[in-house]
Amino acid sequence: MSLVEIEEAVRTYPKIKDFALINVTDEKRGEKLIAFCVLKDKKDESYHDQIIREIKETILNEIGEIAMPSDIRFTRTIPKSPDGVILRDLLKEIAMQM
């Protein structure tokens, strides 16, 4: 299953404006998924824990546990190229600094 397929499934969740996944190296597991999420409404920021649970439920229902990210991080924007391609290398660098 590709990252894009997982992203498209999660974008069906109504409170998400944009969503991106990256793979990063993990010493214990080998690799893990980290998700970056942009919410449609800024007032939803106070409900991050609830939204994370709902996103995880969406992933379980749409794809299954194998696609579950280890971490879901909220951001104001997802870095993209001028033609709309997610800049995953930049997201990896950001994830490694957090």
Side-chain angles (χ1 to χ4, degrees), residues 13-36:
Y13 178 66
K15 294 181 181 177
I16 291 179
K17 180 178 178 181
D18 205 0
F19 189 82
L21 283 171
I22 57 168
N23 283 324
V24 293
T25 305
D26 183 29
E27 293 177 12
K28 295 178 184 175
R29 294 191 202 162
E31 281 192 349
K32 65 180 179 179
L33 288 175
I34 296 179
F36 290 86

Side-chain angles (χ1 to χ4, degrees), residues 14-88:
K15 294 181 181 177
I16 291 179
K17 180 178 178 181
D18 205 0
F19 189 82
L21 283 171
I22 57 168
N23 283 324
V24 293
T25 305
D26 183 29
E27 293 177 12
K28 295 178 184 175
R29 294 191 202 162
E31 281 192 349
K32 65 180 179 179
L33 288 175
I34 296 179
F36 290 86
C37 181
V38 178
L39 299 176
K40 286 184 180 177
D41 194 352
K42 291 184 181 182
K43 70 180 179 182
D44 288 336
E45 290 178 3
S46 60
Y47 301 101
H48 280 184
D49 292 337
Q50 177 184 345
I51 291 172
I52 288 172
R53 281 192 303 275
E54 292 172 1
I55 290 170
K56 287 182 176 184
E57 286 177 21
T58 301
I59 292 169
L60 284 173
N61 292 336
E62 296 287 326
I63 301 165
E65 191 173 344
I66 191 142
M68 190 64 64
S70 299
D71 191 12
I72 298 175
R73 300 176 183 177
F74 294 95
T75 183
R76 295 185 194 277
T77 186
I78 304 280
K80 295 184 179 182
S81 68
D83 59 347
V85 176
I86 296 170
L87 300 175
R88 295 187 197 280

